[in-house]
Amino acid sequence: MERQISMNPKRDLRKRRLNFENFYAYLIMALPLLIVYLIFFFIPSISSFFISFTNYNGISLDFDMVGLKNYQTMLQDQVFRASFTNTFVFTIVVSLLQNLLSLLTALGLNARIRMRGAIRTMIFAPVLINAVVTAYIWTYIFDTNGLINTLLRAVGLGGLAQTWLGNPDYALGCVIVAHVWRFIGYSALIYLANLQSISSDVLEAAEIDGAVGWKRFRYVVFPLLAPATTINIITSIAGTFKVFDIIFAMTEGGPGNATETIATYIVRNMNENLYGYAAAISIALFFIILVINVFVYGFLKKRETQV
Amino acid sequence: MTLKREKTQIVIQIIMTLFAVIIIYPMIMILLMSFKSDAEIVTSPLTIPSEFVFANYAEAWDSMNYLRVLGNSTFLTVCTVAIGTMIYSMAGYAVVRAKRGKIFFSCVFYMFLAGLVIPPQVTLVPLVVWLKALHLSNTFQGLIGVMIAGGTATGVFLIRNFISTIPQALEEAAVIDGCSPIGVFFRIIFPLLKPIVVTLVIMNSINVWNDFMHPLLLLQGAAARTVPLAVYFFKGEFTTQWNVLFAGLTLSIIPLLVVYFILQRHIMGGLMSGAVKS
């Protein structure tokens, strides 16, 4: 790799033409990733736009341009509407619940407690478990003869027992619980890191000024946690809006369309060979994510600087 | 005052301990249930098994084709992470330090960053078609390419930010000694990237190992199943036999949990700095 010819590098850098030392060498270094990225991500993304205007079925290459028909279908499609609503509900509830619980967890872990290391290890462990395993563990917990119903019967509340995942009113809630279980540790870790970076001087000063307990948290600690809050909300929104695996493994979008999300609906249409329509939905998903990201990120950044 | 503090301390201790137990309990539950006999799992599913039935594990091992599946996941993860980390670093270096054509390299960089807002689902439909055209459908090469491309945005972003904190004087000294940019990268910069490379390796390994959607749609055929995929199809076979299913789940999470318990400081630290920096 090393160039044998020794030349005067200073004089070389002053030259305006593109030579190996100042352009092509860097191009060669960027090239492997550039090629992989173009082939496996960027060109597919662009062609998704194109496919969304066709009636391509994934099998034969004689497809027709259908213009905006897929997008028109989408606007009238009841299942798409349901998946849209479910995705929103899922994202909002998960983001709030996960952040609230992980913030409390981080505050607890930051207190002077015993066995802190062991407790942290236990709370963080589910982060490593894949979504399919998480889905099956919780499928059992919510099963007709599963953990929740067994416990309910044991305390004499057998009347409340039911097939949780089979009930359209509860199915989405069940998936939310499973998803939040998996990621509490992750968000808590980020809050904890931020908490530990708050200097004790600030806290002592607050105490002298009379800010203790809830007041100290609300007016001193919580504002200082703004960076962690931004990270956690952005990651949980980004992660949940395209949620696929846990829902697909736990309910496959059912019962009915009670847990169908935009991402599971894309795969469902692919499995039914409606590739053009699936592409159109994925493009819609992209624009929704883009708008939400810009909006939420702008809001949270503004909030950070106000503090 | 101190008495009140002590009381609060005890309450927090109790709540946190309980909470940790509740979080970890589902994992202990599947472990205990995986050792139960077919009869006991129906009559008393939640107690400690009266006798430990290892046959569940034998059955799960065989019908998941465990070693094969583990090998597939390991191969996929190692190739993706090793190649990916290397080429993210090279590209990250190029976009920061290129001396000419800065506009070109910053366009390349922003194109890489587009991956942050484009959800992976957008690429799915074309990928199925595209991989077929490249004769890469249902191959590991194709999936490795897809996974590397999918991690580009985060990878390049983290590397670029790290490299821009390294003073250029180091590299200039090397250039004066007659080193080419490629030589500078491999001899001087890459060894300095260790902290961020560790973070990237941890983040990507967990992502790739646990990914379900891409293998499900792009890697068909029983011989090529990865761990999450094997678990998914395993459920179909043992819908009602929770004990065998849970033996399978336990087998599938053991490798990662063992690594976690050995390297937990690095894993927590790596995931945390990855999240904070990106």
Side-chain angles (χ1 to χ4, degrees):
Chain A
M1 285 295 185
E2 194 191 355
R3 293 257 295 177
Q4 293 301 320
I5 323 146
S6 118
M7 47 175 87
N8 185 345
K10 283 237 166 101
R11 197 199 64 208
D12 219 45
L13 284 178
R14 250 180 270 129
K15 282 184 187 171
R16 287 204 60 84
R17 61 194 175 85
L18 302 176
N19 62 25
F20 184 80
E21 296 292 323
N22 63 31
F23 185 79
Y24 293 108
Y26 294 99
L27 186 63
I28 289 171
M29 277 193 275
L31 214 51
L33 183 63
L34 195 58
I35 293 169
V36 171
Y37 184 73
L38 285 176
I39 294 181
F40 294 104
F41 195 90
F42 202 70
I43 296 175
S45 303
I46 305 284
S47 34
S48 214
F49 275 93
F50 175 74
I51 295 177
S52 76
F53 297 116
T54 69
N55 60 0
Y56 181 60
N57 61 13
I59 303 158
S60 74
L61 278 173
D62 53 333
F63 52 86
D64 298 316
M65 298 298 291
V66 294
L68 290 169
K69 194 168 152 283
N70 286 326
Y71 291 93
Q72 283 163 351
T73 317
M74 201 190 315
L75 290 176
Q76 283 146 12
D77 183 350
Q78 292 299 326
V79 184
F80 175 74
R81 277 191 206 171
S83 72
F84 187 78
T85 319
N86 290 338
T87 311
F88 252 97
V89 172
F90 188 86
T91 303
I92 291 169
V93 177
V94 166
S95 300
L96 291 178
L97 206 60
Q98 187 179 320
N99 275 282
L100 181 69
L101 288 173
S102 58
L103 179 58
L104 292 174
T105 311
L107 289 171
L109 285 172
N110 201 36
R112 261 173 264 116
I113 54 170
R114 279 170 207 200
M115 303 184 298
R116 181 155 65 179
I119 289 175
R120 198 180 52 184
T121 305
M122 280 153 81
I123 293 173
F124 191 76
V127 175
L128 283 270
I129 292 186
N130 71 59
V132 185
V133 173
T134 310
Y136 294 158
I137 292 176
W138 287 87
T139 304
Y140 170 75
I141 292 176
F142 291 119
D143 189 64
T144 324
N145 295 310
L147 178 67
I148 296 213
N149 286 346
T150 311
L151 289 178
L152 282 174
R153 284 182 196 118
V155 295
L157 290 168
L160 291 174
Q162 56 177 301
T163 45
W164 299 94
L165 284 173
N167 187 328
D169 294 339
Y170 297 120
L172 193 60
C174 297
V175 184
I176 288 173
V177 171
H179 187 86
V180 170
W181 173 77
R182 192 171 158 220
F183 285 113
I184 284 179
Y186 181 70
S187 310
L189 208 62
I190 292 163
Y191 277 119
L192 187 62
N194 196 337
L195 271 177
Q196 286 168 345
S197 73
I198 298 174
S199 81
S200 53
D201 295 356
V202 176
L203 298 179
E204 273 163 29
E207 207 154 317
I208 291 166
D209 290 345
V212 281
W214 166 249
K215 263 191 189 163
R216 189 179 73 165
F217 174 75
R218 173 66 187 82
Y219 296 104
V220 183
V221 178
F222 187 64
L224 288 173
L225 286 177
T229 317
T230 307
I231 296 165
N232 273 333
I233 291 184
I234 293 281
T235 27
S236 62
I237 288 180
T240 47
F241 221 91
K242 48 196 179 194
V243 67
F244 167 77
D245 37 19
I246 192 157
I247 293 184
F248 193 77
M250 214 164 152
T251 61
E252 278 191 77
N257 298 309
T259 56
E260 196 84 72
T261 61
I262 301 178
T264 59
Y265 195 46
I266 291 170
V267 173
R268 178 130 82 102
N269 279 297
M270 284 175 76
N271 288 340
E272 286 168 16
N273 286 332
L274 297 168
Y275 277 57
Y277 191 43
I281 301 171
S282 73
I283 297 298
L285 177 65
F286 162 67
F287 279 111
I288 297 166
I289 288 182
L290 191 65
V291 169
I292 291 177
N293 261 344
V294 170
F295 183 74
V296 174
Y297 192 74
F299 172 76
L300 290 172
K301 272 291 162 197
K302 210 170 135 198
R303 180 175 163 271
E304 262 183 48
T305 50
Q306 272 171 357
V307 175
Chain B
M1 185 69 186
T2 43
L3 194 71
K4 198 186 158 201
R5 276 218 167 150
E6 252 170 47
K7 263 190 187 166
T8 337
Q9 210 66 48
I10 293 169
V11 172
I12 293 175
Q13 178 78 59
I14 293 170
I15 293 175
M16 288 311 291
T17 315
L18 263 178
F19 187 62
V21 171
I22 291 172
I23 293 281
I24 206 74
Y25 177 73
M27 287 158 137
I28 294 170
M29 176 190 80
I30 63 164
L31 185 66
L32 289 178
M33 288 178 74
S34 68
F35 285 108
K36 291 198 175 230
S37 66
D38 293 347
E40 201 188 352
I41 197 125
V42 178
T43 52
S44 52
L46 299 174
T47 52
I48 290 169
S50 53
E51 55 165 336
F52 285 78
V53 182
F54 287 92
N56 297 337
Y57 277 87
E59 197 175 349
W61 184 289
D62 288 341
S63 56
M64 267 171 95
N65 207 348
Y66 186 62
L67 287 180
R68 178 71 197 248
V69 161
L70 210 58
N72 286 343
S73 269
T74 311
F75 178 72
L76 177 70
T77 309
V78 169
C79 288
T80 307
V81 172
I83 302 171
T85 310
M86 196 67 224
I87 68 179
Y88 298 153
S89 308
M90 285 160 61
Y93 178 69
V95 297
V96 190
R97 293 288 204 249
K99 308 283 185 300
R100 286 265 170 270
K102 288 206 163 123
I103 296 170
F104 169 78
F105 282 105
S106 51
C107 286
V108 168
F109 176 63
Y110 284 113
M111 193 179 72
F112 286 151
L113 280 198
L116 286 178
V117 283
I118 302 178
Q121 282 84 5
V122 170
T123 62
L124 277 183
V125 170
L127 272 178
V128 173
V129 186
W130 192 220
L131 290 182
K132 218 178 274 172
L134 293 172
H135 300 286
L136 286 174
S137 51
N138 301 328
T139 64
F140 278 103
Q141 294 95 300
L143 189 60
I144 289 168
V146 172
M147 298 309 290
I148 291 177
T152 298
T154 325
V156 173
F157 186 69
L158 289 179
I159 296 279
R160 187 199 80 130
N161 287 358
F162 192 88
I163 292 179
S164 34
T165 65
I166 299 175
Q168 287 212 33
L170 265 176
E171 294 155 60
E172 278 158 13
V175 170
I176 290 167
D177 292 344
C179 215
S180 76
I182 297 174
V184 170
F185 173 75
F186 283 102
R187 290 172 185 205
I188 295 167
I189 298 297
F190 196 66
L192 292 175
L193 293 180
K194 200 181 150 206
I196 199 71
V197 163
V198 170
T199 298
L200 261 183
V201 166
I202 289 167
M203 283 170 66
N204 285 342
S205 305
I206 294 172
N207 280 345
V208 177
W209 182 275
N210 283 342
D211 186 53
F212 171 62
M213 187 175 73
H214 291 103
L216 178 74
L217 293 161
L218 304 175
L219 204 60
Q220 266 138 27
R225 278 177 192 165
T226 60
V227 170
L229 218 55
V231 174
Y232 177 71
F233 287 106
F234 188 62
K235 170 87 172 2
E237 285 175 60
F238 296 94
T239 340
T240 50
Q241 278 177 279
W242 292 106
N243 49 356
V244 184
L245 177 65
F246 285 163
L249 295 194
T250 308
L251 283 176
S252 81
I253 57 179
I254 277 177
L256 207 54
L257 281 187
V258 168
V259 175
Y260 169 58
F261 284 118
I262 298 170
L263 298 174
Q264 53 166 309
R265 275 193 184 280
H266 296 279
I267 290 178
M268 283 190 196
L271 285 179
M272 198 161 68
S273 61
V276 172
K277 282 171 188 152
S278 52

